[in-house]
Amino acid sequence: MNTTYVPPLKALEQKWYVIDAKEQRLGRLATAIAMIIRGKNKPTYTPHLDTGDFVIVVNAEKVNVTGKKSSQKLYRRHSGRPGGMKTEVFSKLQARLPQRIIEEAVFGMLPKNSLGRKLHAKLKVYPGPDHPHQAQKPETLIIETTPGE
């Protein structure tokens, strides 16, 4: 008989990590962040539970994309009203709201259900090098996202 694995409560302790997005590739950075938020980097990973950690991303304004994505990649939002579709290219959104780029990339990699909506609160993105989460004593996490360099 199969039983559902439920990790012990002490295994569900959540850490805080700081990741510097300076000169990082957007997609590779987002997949690494999504894995940490989801908890897939832990041996106690359980798909139906929140076993992940909190992630603070700093220097979001300095994230990179390859090729012509900075002038061709579109970000869309809709007000809900007829004709309310707004589009913006990567470079303009990066100048205006750089944290939204990383948030959308990571949120697209999380499950589209109540657990995924709960995991949204575990990502904190800041455009500059400063963040207000020093009280949580976050650990610095280095993610190598540029292979071959």
Side-chain angles (χ1 to χ4, degrees), residues 41-89:
N41 59 336
K42 296 181 176 182
T44 57
Y45 169 70
T46 307
H48 66 281
L49 293 177
D50 177 10
T51 58
D53 298 319
F54 287 85
V55 175
I56 303 163
V57 180
V58 293
N59 290 321
E61 61 194 7
K62 297 178 181 162
V63 73
N64 287 340
V65 288
T66 58
K68 296 180 182 178
K69 292 186 196 84
S70 63
S71 61
Q72 292 179 348
K73 182 170 176 58
L74 293 176
Y75 287 89
R76 295 177 179 88
R77 65 185 193 277
H78 199 286
S79 67
R81 308 279 298 169
M85 175 76 81
K86 306 278 186 189
T87 59
E88 198 169 8
V89 295

Side-chain angles (χ1 to χ4, degrees), residues 15-19 54 56 136-142:
K15 293 183 177 180
W16 286 72
Y17 294 106
V18 174
I19 297 175
F54 287 85
I56 303 163
Q136 284 75 24
K137 298 184 179 80
E139 298 176 22
T140 302
L141 194 64
I142 297 171

Side-chain angles (χ1 to χ4, degrees), residues 5-16 36-39 42-54 115 118-119 122:
Y5 171 72
V6 178
L9 281 177
K10 64 178 180 161
L12 295 179
E13 291 178 5
Q14 298 173 338
K15 293 183 177 180
W16 286 72
I36 295 167
I37 289 175
R38 190 93 197 270
K42 296 181 176 182
T44 57
Y45 169 70
T46 307
H48 66 281
L49 293 177
D50 177 10
T51 58
D53 298 319
F54 287 85
L115 177 63
K118 184 179 172 187
L119 295 175
K122 301 184 119 194

